[in-house]
Amino acid sequence: MEDFVFKPFEEMTQEDYSRIGFKSGLEVHQQLYTERKLFCRCPAGQYSEEYHAEILRHMRPTLSELGEYDGTALMEFKTKKDIVYRINRATVCTYEMDDTPPFIMNDQALDIAIQVGQLMDCNIVDELHIARKQYLDGSIPTGFQRTAIVSVNGKIPYKDREINIIQMSIEEDSCREVSDFGHLRVYKADRLGMPLIETVTAPEMLNPQEVAEVNQIIRKVARSTGKARTGIGAGREDVNVSVTGGTRIEIKGVAHIKSIPLLTYNEAMRQWNLLRLRDELSKRGITSDTFQSKTDDVTKLLKKTQYEPIANAISKGLLVKCVTLSGYKGLLSWKTQTDTFFGKEISDRVRVIACLSKTPNIIHSDSAENTISSADGQKIRKSVGAKEEDTLVLVWGDETDTDTASREIIIRAKEATVGIPPETRQALRDGTNGFERILPGAERMYPDTDLPPIMITNERLVRLRAEIPAPFWIRLKEFKDFNISDDIAEPLSISKFATVFDYAVIKLKLNPILVAHALIQFSKRLKKKKFNIDLLNNSNLEQLFISVADGSLAKDGILFAMEMIIKHDGKYDPKLTIPANEVDIKQSFDKCIKIMNEQKLYNYDKRPEILIGLIMADLIGRCNGQDVRKYVSNNFRMEA
Amino acid sequence: MTDESYKGYRGQALSTLKNFEALVWSDVEIKTATGQHIGIILPRSENGDDKHIVIKLRSGYNVGIACEKVEDIHINGRKEAHYQIPEKAFPFDPKKPNVKLLGTGGTIASRLDYRTGAVIPAFSPGELYGSVPELADICNLQTEKLYGVFSENMGPDQWRGTAEAIGREIQNGAQGIVIGHGTDTMHHTSAILSFMVQNSPVPIVMVGSQRSSDRPSSDAALNLMHSVKTAADSDIAEVMVCMFGPTSDIYGLLHQGTRVRKMHSSYRSTFRTIGEIPIAMVDRQKITPLRNDYRKRRDDRNVIINTAFDDRVAIVYYYPNMKADIIDSLIDNGYKGIVIAGTGLGHVNKPLYPALKRAQDKGIAVYMTVQTLWGYVQMYVYDTGRDLMDLGIVPAGNMLPEVAYVKLGWALGQSQDLEKVKEIMLTPIANEITDREPSNGYLIFQGGIPEVEDFISRYQK
């Protein structure tokens, strides 16, 4: 083991990351913008706190088609949770409740998924097979997620290289967790069943920053179709991290891309430090073969303790168990992540698997914290026959939970002699991560017997390809060639109006800067004014640009015309913005002079500007500023 | 080389695999015109087309590859699936009651069949103990597989066989009997067993599952625990159906075999007692009787098995504008008994009268039940009813149509004398006709009503 000690986050260099062999890959989840859910006809994207009914279920592990039980499944079974679903009539039907078989897959969602695959240069599968991926945490009432590989072997450009896309799948979203405490976990079922895609990259990102950047690219690909959902929770990612000699660890449920660098840094540090811990154990002669531990009931010895959590437990008739870890002295305080120690790994397992959720749920002899008195500590040490170099871990709860807990304490401590146990870990706010569950394997996949495979025809692929623009990185380059400024080019490259831009610029030969400005800046401006810009679409905007091209809409009237489209429920009416002719301008000029003259003006010499403003407002959307300016300068005399 | 080596593949897909000698379960790299796939070749569902090869990728996902695109298949090894529920010897405890589980089919314990994609039942005490170890806390379990059929394929032969097996097991000292059965026709079987097995000294509990046991959310395990608990511990010596009360994993209901019906094509809580209330509730800890008029468990072994059955019986579900030829065809085909599910209080239209007259003349037993399911036949209220009785149609009280159907077959199996048949039909054996309908015997919670919504929102369904 190289003797490298982790530096603070800001000081780590690429050289440091290379030295520890940092590798990271992503699983990016992106909800698709469809009206309905993936396997039933419930509306998608309606969230609410209100619910009308509750359902209680339990999950049991089952065998995969290869005849193996999945490790995660067995772990979740050990936890024996009551799982309660909150059901809102408007967003959940009997399908999500697992009381009705699936309806056929939402075609619209599959189309979008295929298009995203095409943008990433993937190999789209010829026949889609729907699988069941077991989730025994209850986040899906069936106990599995219906999911299917849409495409494999793609790539996206990054820096001077390419990042490989291993696969992309379409799947149903899970429930939103409300709470998880003790033996009860509560979910809201409204999000359940919404279509999403999961894009999996190869582990080819070589430092934490790269992970975030590649994640951005993948998000942009999906958004560039105009058919991916945006907003809180619409995109979530799992990040896989490993270091040399380490294990692939999955950090789940990362909600913000900006938190990725610190999370991956901390995970790399955790793995590195756990490997060093293994070396330390081996130095002490502790391996998986020589590992020794025992469990004793020490409730009686602590009857008079002042330490509140244990005193409370005993007063409720609960038990206290003591696990002796031979030769572990000091190691539960071994640093794993920033301000986090090995004892936390053990406490996490006890929390998740034994359902002892109220922390602290363990105390141990390696901690300097004030817990039980040293006299009590000595009494226990003597009673269980522990030596000075042993670590004692105390856990309290009922018989079953403390049984499970003691076993888990031993399992996790022993795993330290091997290295880094394969786990999925939960992203925490401070940039560290905590245990979530044992990393599931391929054993948790089995075919969905409720639905037949779906053949994806070549005709479908050709049709879908024609509907989408070039990948955004190619478009970005084109926009730069048009001299479109970055602040417009960037959003335009992933805008749903990409095809409108192509149409207006290539077909109608309009000025690219004008079109880009209108599509991005104007819709932004309208959004700010609380207009529903979702009403702007390819069809009404194309009509609008046709009018600009044939002169029936003034260029300075574009914003107004867009506003009119929204006000008229998405209908573009060219009659509302017929360009003003000479006569119209003269009439307006005469009217506006009168208005101006009735006002008391403080800036008398600014009258031409004021007049232009009044006429523009009067003829809103129907004239170009330069025509009015010309008319005013020709016809207005300051002396008048 | 047998077809098993290329399980489920045919046509173009089969010849592509043969071409590269790539058998099912081969670990392969497949090169195609559009890329490369690495995984294990899986058997193909028999309903699948002949144009795709299915492989399981390393990630566990399956994908189909168009065989016309295949350029090369390189074989790296082989990994065959051995699907087996871990089998452990079911422990024996002399203090626990002995329960016999008779299997007829269904998805109580099952595995996948890759050729059809269907679920195949797996069933042995060891397998059951491996998948539902909790059963050993309740009883000593013995199992016997009588049949392995989907419930739509159950018929008189299987009913007789099951009744005889029950009789045998009771004589052998079983303290309770559980019958694993597909759910679709479970209520037909529970009804006929209520007639074929009489005076049972022990509980006879039918059970199935609405979500097959290869799913983590399956109701199979809990149903099994509830039914075994009932068979082992309850004092209810009736033929019962034991299935979920609510859709939640909370408790099961014990329905009388003659008053129960599957009422939803897919809900877990699909079985409902009609025109009565269930006999009891059961959860993992206890059995809570809801009625007290059931037959009690006894120590004797005096069970009566009567497996008579004449299968020349049909149900006619009346609909407006039904033509006489429907009845005529039954008469012409030699049917001996007809159960009509009539409208309302038990009616059919006038155009059927001549055919019904023919049936009467031919000595065919015709019984009237109601397609409303709830409520009694009452043929005096309207003229139509009286006309029909004049045509020899016998009102069957509040017997459910399916129950009347199996009972008529059973009655005709014992006698062809219409008076005798009538006596058997109208003498209740297991509450198939009740004297009175309790006021809470008709409850269909109707969503949307404020009181019902309020109730539902306060309880886990």
Side-chain angles (χ1 to χ4, degrees):
Chain A
M1 184 96 230
E2 279 186 78
D3 198 19
F4 173 77
V5 177
F6 256 73
K7 303 171 184 170
F9 178 60
E10 299 76 17
E11 291 168 26
M12 289 286 285
T13 62
Q14 179 58 55
E15 212 169 82
D16 296 332
Y17 286 114
S18 303
R19 197 164 158 199
I20 59 164
F22 178 96
K23 272 203 301 192
S24 177
L26 279 163
E27 295 169 20
V28 182
H29 301 93
Q30 185 85 47
Q31 287 181 339
L32 302 179
Y33 198 88
T34 56
E35 221 174 291
R36 293 170 170 198
K37 291 183 177 179
L38 190 56
F39 290 111
C40 68
R41 287 73 181 265
C42 285
Q46 288 184 17
Y47 298 145
S48 129
E49 299 308 305
E50 200 188 332
Y51 61 97
H52 306 114
E54 286 189 343
I55 292 175
L56 170 75
R57 296 268 165 80
H58 302 102
M59 298 291 158
R60 296 179 80 88
T62 61
L63 292 177
S64 82
E65 70 194 299
L66 294 180
E68 288 154 63
Y69 275 116
D70 184 63
T72 320
L74 290 176
M75 177 208 100
E76 294 284 356
F77 189 53
K78 278 196 243 174
T79 65
K80 295 200 168 61
K81 289 256 185 195
D82 279 347
I83 297 163
V84 168
Y85 300 99
R86 292 184 174 169
I87 304 291
N88 181 309
R89 266 194 306 275
T91 52
V92 175
C93 70
T94 52
Y95 166 70
E96 293 99 316
M97 292 161 59
D98 190 32
D99 268 322
T100 288
F103 300 85
I104 57 164
M105 185 188 273
N106 183 334
D107 248 351
Q108 192 192 4
L110 181 55
D111 279 352
I112 303 170
I114 291 172
Q115 288 177 322
V116 175
Q118 288 174 326
L119 285 171
M120 294 188 297
D121 200 17
C122 286
N123 185 2
I124 312 290
V125 303
D126 303 311
E127 197 182 53
L128 188 89
H129 283 251
I130 298 158
R132 299 173 176 180
K133 188 195 264 184
Q134 278 199 9
Y135 278 98
L136 276 85
D137 60 357
S139 60
I140 304 188
T142 44
F144 54 77
Q145 178 186 44
R146 289 197 162 88
T147 166
I149 295 272
V150 175
S151 61
V152 294
N153 302 339
K155 51 187 176 292
I156 49 171
Y158 176 62
K159 292 183 176 169
D160 54 353
R161 62 186 204 264
E162 277 172 342
I163 299 290
N164 284 295
I165 304 296
I166 296 176
Q167 65 184 43
M168 193 260 289
S169 53
I170 185 165
E171 48 196 40
E172 50 187 352
D173 209 341
S174 56
C175 291
R176 297 190 289 154
E177 189 179 296
V178 177
S179 63
D180 181 11
F181 196 84
H183 290 276
L184 176 67
R185 195 178 283 150
V186 179
Y187 289 106
K188 278 181 284 219
D190 46 13
R191 193 182 68 186
L192 174 67
M194 282 174 63
L196 59 81
I197 50 171
E198 184 197 58
T199 306
V200 182
T201 76
E204 295 173 343
M205 282 74 90
L206 304 175
N207 68 52
Q209 207 53 48
E210 287 196 353
V211 188
E213 286 168 10
V214 169
N215 199 334
Q216 280 296 3
I217 295 174
I218 292 169
R219 277 240 198 141
K220 282 182 181 174
V221 173
R223 288 185 65 164
S224 72
T225 62
K227 297 165 195 162
R229 281 187 191 270
T230 54
I232 299 163
R236 305 185 296 277
E237 26 274 329
D238 302 343
V239 187
N240 297 315
V241 179
S242 68
V243 301
T244 306
T247 307
R248 180 177 80 93
I249 291 295
E250 187 176 317
I251 308 171
K252 277 192 104 68
V254 183
H256 301 287
I257 293 180
K258 63 176 191 293
S259 59
I260 287 178
L262 191 59
L263 276 170
T264 48
Y265 158 83
N266 265 313
E267 176 53 26
M269 184 204 297
R270 189 183 74 95
Q271 293 193 27
W272 194 252
N273 286 341
L274 285 174
L275 292 172
R276 291 174 58 230
L277 173 62
R278 180 187 63 189
D279 290 353
E280 173 63 26
L281 282 164
S282 143
K283 250 187 250 165
R284 295 187 188 185
I286 304 173
T287 65
S288 65
D289 292 332
T290 63
F291 175 89
Q292 280 190 335
S293 66
K294 63 196 280 279
T295 304
D296 296 275
D297 187 331
V298 295
T299 318
K300 278 188 191 146
L301 302 175
L302 288 164
K303 283 254 146 77
K304 287 181 186 145
T305 182
Q306 300 289 311
Y307 179 60
E308 222 184 299
I310 290 184
N312 278 344
I314 292 176
S315 75
K316 283 186 206 141
L318 299 174
L319 306 177
V320 186
K321 299 238 170 106
C322 171
V323 177
T324 306
L325 301 170
S326 303
Y328 268 61
K329 186 181 180 184
L331 298 184
L332 266 62
S333 298
W334 187 270
K335 183 180 167 184
T336 50
Q337 309 175 66
T338 311
D339 299 327
T340 305
F341 307 92
F342 182 57
K344 169 84 169 15
E345 304 247 332
I346 290 175
S347 158
D348 278 356
R349 285 277 180 97
V350 168
R351 175 175 54 81
V352 175
I353 297 179
C355 295
L356 294 170
S357 304
K358 192 167 182 201
T359 50
N361 55 9
I362 59 167
I363 55 172
H364 57 80
S365 57
D366 294 343
S367 162
E369 271 173 56
N370 229 352
T371 55
I372 56 169
S373 68
S374 58
D376 281 342
Q378 283 312 318
K379 220 165 33 174
I380 293 171
R381 201 169 273 276
K382 202 172 153 201
S383 146
V384 305
K387 300 196 188 87
E388 181 54 31
E389 65 266 28
D390 300 341
T391 291
L392 303 184
V393 187
L394 297 186
V395 62
W396 50 95
D398 70 21
E399 179 81 52
T400 321
D401 291 350
T402 49
D403 260 4
T404 315
S406 324
R407 271 200 302 275
E408 284 306 318
I409 291 167
I410 292 165
I411 289 170
R412 182 62 193 92
K414 191 175 176 185
E415 281 167 349
T417 65
V418 182
I420 300 138
E423 296 170 338
T424 57
R425 299 186 62 86
Q426 190 184 15
L428 302 176
R429 264 185 212 167
D430 64 358
T432 63
N433 60 64
F435 172 75
E436 188 175 83
R437 63 175 89 106
I438 306 292
L439 188 73
E443 293 76 35
R444 67 164 165 168
M445 305 286 304
Y446 55 123
D448 187 17
T449 43
D450 293 333
L451 290 165
I454 300 169
M455 186 171 158
I456 299 177
T457 62
N458 204 38
E459 292 73 43
R460 185 173 188 169
L461 295 182
V462 171
R463 171 176 65 81
L464 292 173
R465 190 68 193 84
E467 279 176 13
I468 42 167
F472 79 88
W473 49 88
I474 294 175
R475 304 181 52 74
L476 201 54
K477 213 176 140 284
E478 282 169 9
F479 297 153
K480 289 196 172 151
D481 293 344
F482 282 132
N483 284 323
I484 297 170
S485 62
D486 284 358
D487 62 326
I488 292 180
E490 291 270 352
L492 184 60
S493 70
I494 56 167
S495 155
K496 63 176 176 174
F497 300 137
T499 51
V500 183
F501 178 87
D502 288 351
Y503 182 81
V505 171
I506 297 162
K507 227 179 180 159
L508 303 174
K509 311 240 178 301
L510 291 174
N511 178 343
I513 297 178
L514 172 87
V515 176
H517 190 80
L519 291 174
I520 298 303
Q521 296 297 72
F522 288 174
S523 38
K524 214 189 273 176
R525 226 182 281 174
L526 289 168
K527 190 177 176 184
K528 220 176 234 171
K529 286 165 77 180
K530 304 268 183 255
F531 283 105
N532 176 15
I533 59 166
D534 287 347
L535 289 168
L536 298 171
N537 57 39
N538 286 2
S539 128
N540 54 35
L541 288 174
E542 276 176 17
Q543 288 173 40
L544 181 150
F545 284 117
I546 290 173
S547 296
V548 177
D550 67 18
S552 60
L553 173 63
K555 283 175 185 151
D556 286 356
I558 295 176
L559 175 60
F560 180 72
M562 285 168 74
E563 190 178 316
M564 285 299 117
I565 288 175
I566 295 171
K567 281 188 174 155
H568 289 84
D569 258 352
K571 249 187 74 186
Y572 173 62
D573 184 355
K575 279 192 283 248
L576 295 170
T577 49
I578 293 171
N581 57 27
E582 192 93 2
V583 180
D584 296 330
I585 296 178
K586 183 180 182 317
Q587 275 175 3
S588 177
F589 177 83
D590 294 345
K591 189 168 90 183
C592 291
I593 282 198
K594 256 189 218 156
I595 295 169
M596 183 172 69
N597 288 342
E598 282 163 13
Q599 311 282 329
K600 191 169 179 202
L601 297 175
Y602 292 101
N603 38 3
Y604 202 69
D605 51 337
K606 287 263 168 67
R607 281 182 303 158
E609 297 304 315
I610 293 165
L611 189 56
I612 290 167
L614 285 170
I615 296 170
M616 291 294 290
D618 183 41
L619 294 175
I620 183 162
R622 297 180 54 202
C623 58
N624 288 321
Q626 64 196 66
D627 298 335
V628 174
R629 184 170 297 278
K630 205 166 121 198
Y631 188 91
V632 169
S633 78
N634 287 343
N635 294 283
F636 180 72
R637 273 154 296 151
M638 287 298 265
E639 305 77 50
Chain B
M1 208 146 291
T2 65
D3 262 344
E4 280 295 287
S5 315
Y6 298 102
K7 224 174 189 176
Y9 286 96
R10 56 196 166 83
Q12 208 183 338
L14 179 64
S15 55
T16 307
L17 288 179
K18 281 192 167 164
N19 195 18
F20 295 100
E21 290 178 16
L23 313 186
V24 160
W25 306 119
S26 298
D27 193 343
V28 294
E29 280 169 54
I30 300 184
K31 270 207 188 78
T32 74
T34 48
Q36 195 189 27
H37 300 273
I38 298 173
I40 294 163
I41 298 181
L42 291 182
R44 177 98 174 142
S45 156
E46 274 168 357
N47 304 324
D49 65 28
D50 65 348
K51 296 179 173 58
H52 295 86
I53 295 165
V54 190
I55 67 166
K56 174 169 283 292
L57 304 177
R58 291 279 183 266
S59 57
Y61 279 94
N62 299 352
V63 298
I65 300 166
C67 47
E68 61 182 25
K69 290 207 286 194
V70 173
E71 289 170 352
D72 185 37
I73 301 180
H74 181 77
I75 300 166
N76 288 322
R78 184 179 159 82
K79 187 177 184 189
E80 186 166 351
H82 293 286
Y83 190 102
Q84 224 176 5
I85 295 170
E87 211 169 322
K88 293 187 206 155
F90 201 98
F92 180 81
D93 177 351
K95 282 184 232 132
K96 292 205 165 76
N98 298 324
V99 170
K100 182 83 180 199
L101 173 55
L102 300 171
T104 65
T107 51
I108 265 289
S110 58
R111 64 183 176 85
L112 285 171
D113 175 353
Y114 288 94
R115 278 171 299 177
T116 58
V119 177
I120 291 188
F123 186 83
S124 78
E127 284 171 340
L128 284 175
Y129 181 58
S131 50
V132 192
E134 295 94 326
L135 295 176
D137 299 336
I138 306 170
C139 67
N140 300 312
L141 192 68
Q142 281 190 310
T143 67
E144 182 184 339
K145 184 180 164 187
L146 299 177
Y147 312 101
V149 297
F150 290 123
S151 77
E152 59 271 22
N153 298 322
M154 289 292 288
D157 289 346
Q158 290 80 11
W159 295 338
R160 276 187 212 106
T162 307
E164 281 156 9
I166 292 170
R168 208 163 50 232
E169 292 310 323
I170 291 173
Q171 297 305 341
N172 289 344
Q175 276 141 301
I177 309 253
V178 175
I179 299 157
H181 198 288
T183 55
D184 284 4
T185 67
M186 193 188 282
H187 55 289
H188 296 82
T189 306
S190 70
I192 191 65
L193 291 180
S194 302
F195 306 131
M196 288 183 170
V197 181
Q198 289 178 40
N199 202 38
S200 168
V202 300
I204 298 167
V205 192
M206 300 199 61
V207 70
S209 70
Q210 281 288 88
R211 295 288 91 78
S212 60
S213 58
D214 59 347
R215 307 161 63 120
S217 60
S218 171
D219 53 339
L222 199 53
N223 275 331
L224 210 46
M225 286 182 247
H226 290 158
S227 60
V228 167
K229 168 98 187 154
T230 305
D233 295 350
S234 87
D235 68 340
I236 310 167
E238 299 270 4
V239 175
M240 293 170 275
V241 165
C242 172
M243 292 287 287
F244 268 34
T247 180
S248 287
D249 292 353
I250 303 179
Y251 61 88
L253 287 173
L254 299 176
H255 304 276
Q256 177 119 42
T258 56
R259 297 238 58 93
V260 63
R261 203 167 184 284
K262 186 175 186 180
M263 297 300 284
H264 194 281
S265 65
S266 55
Y267 247 77
R268 287 165 170 74
S269 50
T270 176
F271 283 92
R272 305 281 92 174
T273 290
I274 309 280
E276 243 304 345
I277 60 169
I279 299 177
M281 294 163 73
V282 54
D283 62 28
R284 290 177 59 181
Q285 279 74 44
K286 62 186 181 307
I287 292 144
T288 311
L290 302 174
R291 281 164 39 191
N292 54 17
D293 57 348
Y294 54 82
R295 292 190 182 90
K296 303 286 187 294
R297 184 192 278 276
R298 308 186 310 272
D299 288 332
D300 67 65
R301 299 282 117 183
N302 302 332
V303 62
I304 301 161
I305 306 294
N306 177 351
T307 61
F309 200 86
D310 187 329
D311 70 355
R312 291 171 295 175
V313 180
I315 301 184
V316 172
Y317 193 99
Y318 174 75
Y319 46 86
N321 199 35
M322 180 178 271
K323 306 277 197 308
D325 53 5
I326 297 284
I327 304 292
D328 284 332
S329 76
L330 291 173
I331 300 168
D332 297 343
N333 281 299
Y335 278 74
K336 293 284 168 207
I338 299 173
V339 171
I340 298 174
T343 57
L345 292 165
H347 302 135
V348 296
N349 62 2
K350 273 214 167 79
L352 292 193
Y353 288 10
L356 292 170
K357 179 84 182 76
R358 255 187 90 206
Q360 184 183 28
D361 295 344
K362 288 251 180 183
I364 296 171
V366 185
Y367 284 79
M368 181 63 77
T369 60
V370 291
Q371 54 185 249
T372 57
L373 303 179
W374 271 273
Y376 289 81
V377 176
Q378 220 295 14
M379 299 176 74
Y380 295 102
V381 178
Y382 297 103
D383 285 346
T384 309
R386 288 178 221 172
D387 293 345
L388 291 172
M389 286 196 292
D390 288 344
L391 293 166
I393 297 184
V394 182
N398 65 345
M399 208 178 335
L400 294 166
E402 298 84 357
V403 178
Y405 160 73
V406 297
K407 194 174 183 191
L408 188 52
W410 182 69
L412 285 166
Q414 298 172 64
S415 172
Q416 301 283 319
D417 170 6
L418 289 189
E419 276 312 306
K420 180 72 189 150
V421 169
K422 187 170 170 184
E423 189 196 321
I424 296 172
M425 281 299 281
L426 300 185
T427 310
I429 292 168
N431 280 333
E432 69 275 23
I433 297 175
T434 60
D435 288 340
R436 51 193 294 275
E437 181 181 4
S439 60
N440 57 353
Y442 172 61
L443 283 182
I444 310 176
F445 286 162
Q446 191 62 73
I449 308 293
E451 292 83 348
V452 174
E453 290 301 326
D454 178 55
F455 172 81
I456 291 172
S457 66
R458 275 182 291 122
Y459 296 92
Q460 284 158 352
K461 294 176 75 182

